[in-house]
Amino acid sequence: TDRLYYWFHKMMCQDKFIAGNGGKNLISYTDVEDFSKMIIQAMEVNNNHIIYNANSFNASHADFFETIKKAENKNPEVISVDGKFCSENEIKQWLDLPLWIDGDYFTIDNSRLKNDFNFKFSSVENIVPILLDYYSNTLKWRKPKVGMDDKKEKELMEIIS
């Protein structure tokens, strides 16, 4: 969907960019390898009536930004905007700023899963190098198919400055 890729692209290819609340809102992420392990273990357990929230970890965009900074020595300026600014300037939450709605609405509790399943869940620090490799070598930092138009973002950054 390019939603997470959008933010990696911003970090790697721009000197500055706009992020809702500075990227500080939390969202739940599920690593595909973790999800595969969850499915396999769920099939092996003789307790098929339990419902699990299948996520690996909760993190903010800022957590990803910091990990990318450390891994790639990138430090673009993150320009924080809030929900009011977005409304006033016709920035569509989730669409123009992928994976962001003003608030921590997309987090789920996976404590039952952690208690019942026997493996170590991925983290931002585990995932970032894998994604950087994929985005660099497979997508070759092509323009994301989602998110705010570059021209609009530049105009808004000029308003903020």
Side-chain angles (χ1 to χ4, degrees):
T1 66
D2 277 4
R3 290 186 296 238
L4 184 56
Y5 172 67
Y6 174 87
W7 297 107
F8 275 72
H9 186 271
K10 294 286 182 189
M11 284 294 297
M12 296 299 292
C13 299
Q14 290 186 208
D15 293 330
K16 61 182 176 179
F17 60 89
I18 291 174
N21 292 335
K24 301 222 181 333
N25 297 94
L26 292 175
I27 189 168
S28 294
Y29 293 90
T30 305
D31 175 55
V32 68
E33 289 185 25
D34 288 353
F35 192 63
S36 299
K37 292 175 191 174
M38 290 175 215
I39 291 170
I40 291 167
Q41 283 193 22
M43 290 186 308
E44 294 172 346
V45 173
N46 190 18
N47 190 353
N48 57 5
H49 297 290
I50 293 180
I51 297 170
Y52 295 98
N53 292 321
N55 69 305
S56 300
F57 57 88
N58 293 335
S60 67
H61 292 132
D63 294 329
F64 281 96
F65 300 161
E66 287 302 314
T67 307
I68 294 167
K69 282 180 189 180
K70 290 174 189 170
E72 296 294 320
N73 199 27
K74 292 282 188 175
N75 196 17
E77 179 183 357
V78 179
I79 300 169
S80 182
V81 297
D82 60 17
K84 183 177 184 234
F85 181 87
C86 290
S87 294
E88 291 170 351
N89 291 281
E90 299 179 10
I91 299 171
K92 296 180 207 91
Q93 296 180 32
W94 197 266
L95 298 174
D96 289 333
L97 299 174
L99 300 176
W100 181 76
I101 291 180
D102 194 12
D104 293 333
Y105 299 113
F106 295 103
T107 58
I108 55 176
D109 177 13
N110 69 351
S111 58
R112 183 186 298 173
L113 185 71
K114 286 182 176 179
N115 288 333
D116 292 357
F117 285 70
N118 185 24
F119 63 91
K120 183 176 164 76
F121 289 85
S122 298
S123 67
V124 172
E125 292 78 17
N126 302 128
I127 298 304
V128 165
I130 295 165
L131 292 174
L132 283 169
D133 180 62
Y134 175 75
Y135 295 152
S136 178
N137 294 313
T138 303
L139 299 184
K140 307 221 183 282
W141 299 115
R142 64 155 170 76
K143 184 173 174 30
K145 297 175 183 174
V146 300
M148 189 182 316
D149 176 79
D150 292 341
K151 182 180 175 189
K152 180 176 181 175
E153 183 179 34
K154 186 175 180 183
E155 290 169 0
L156 291 169
M157 288 191 292
E158 287 176 10
I159 291 171
I160 295 168
S161 298

